[in-house]
């Protein structure tokens, strides 16, 4: 796991996130990027990703590191993912890593993937707008 140090340039590879604020802690590795924001955490999966259990484990470790042991609101960006392997889904459904999870997608495939993950330990919901997702995920959660 590699942590982006404040003030350092972004890595020279494509990142699933839409740019990094240099004042925000983040982890970018393989198929994902996780950022800590004042509203909670944001997780982006790379477009075209077919997630396996290793991908999910790595992302969960990054979420735990950035949340410092707290269950924070989490916004998961699913746009243009290909799918999730059964063993990866099992890890997602069995592991409590967030207070609430808001899935963000842009179409029917993303909505199906979100529905496939909707029976986890924490409350979750699907959105087509990232701002609404972040607002919902943070509602009712203690200030981060």
């Amino acid at each position: 796991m590699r942590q982006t140090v404040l003030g350092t340039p972004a890595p020279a590879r494509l990142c699933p996130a839409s740019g990094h604020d240099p004042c925000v802690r983040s982890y970018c590795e393989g198929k994902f990027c996780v950022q800590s924001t004042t509203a909670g955490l944001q997780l982006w999966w790379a477009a075209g990703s077919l997630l396996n259990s290793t991908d999910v484990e790595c992302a969960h470790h990054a979420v735990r590191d950035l949340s410092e042991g707290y269950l924070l609101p989490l916004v998961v960006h699913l746009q243009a993912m290909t799918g999730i392997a059964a063993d990866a889904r099992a890890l997602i459904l069995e592991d409590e890593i967030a207070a609430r999870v808001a899935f963000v997608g842009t179409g029917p495939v993303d909505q199906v993937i979100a529905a496939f993950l909707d029976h986890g330990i924490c409350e979750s919901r699907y959105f087509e707008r990232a701002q609404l997702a972040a607002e919902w995920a943070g509602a009712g959660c203690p200030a981060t």
Side-chain angles (χ1 to χ4, degrees):
M1 189 86 41
R2 186 180 78 226
Q3 182 174 8
T4 302
V5 180
L6 299 180
T8 61
R13 64 171 185 75
L14 292 177
C15 173
S18 57
H20 291 283
D21 180 339
C23 298
V24 172
R25 293 184 332 139
S26 62
Y27 282 89
C28 295
E29 187 174 308
K31 299 176 185 175
F32 73 91
C33 182
V34 180
Q35 283 187 328
S36 175
T37 70
T38 56
L41 299 173
Q42 300 262 340
L43 167 62
W44 285 268
W45 289 108
S49 293
L50 175 58
L51 304 184
N52 60 40
S53 60
T54 302
D55 300 325
V56 171
E57 278 185 40
C58 290
H60 281 196
H61 287 299
V63 167
R64 282 190 197 93
D65 286 348
L66 288 173
S67 66
E68 299 176 352
Y70 293 97
L71 293 177
L72 301 177
L74 176 64
V75 177
V76 180
H77 298 266
L78 303 171
Q79 292 96 331
M81 279 182 43
T82 303
I84 301 171
D87 59 342
R89 178 183 186 255
L91 282 175
I92 292 169
L93 297 180
E94 294 170 0
D95 199 1
E96 185 175 28
I97 63 165
R100 289 176 119 183
V101 178
F103 296 106
V104 180
T106 55
V109 172
D110 297 334
Q111 196 164 9
V112 168
I113 290 172
F116 187 59
L117 300 173
D118 192 30
H119 303 288
I121 294 172
C122 64
E123 184 179 9
S124 64
R125 191 166 162 195
Y126 176 80
F127 295 86
E128 291 187 354
R129 292 183 40 211
Q131 182 178 349
L132 292 176
E135 290 170 2
W136 176 84
C141 295
T144 56

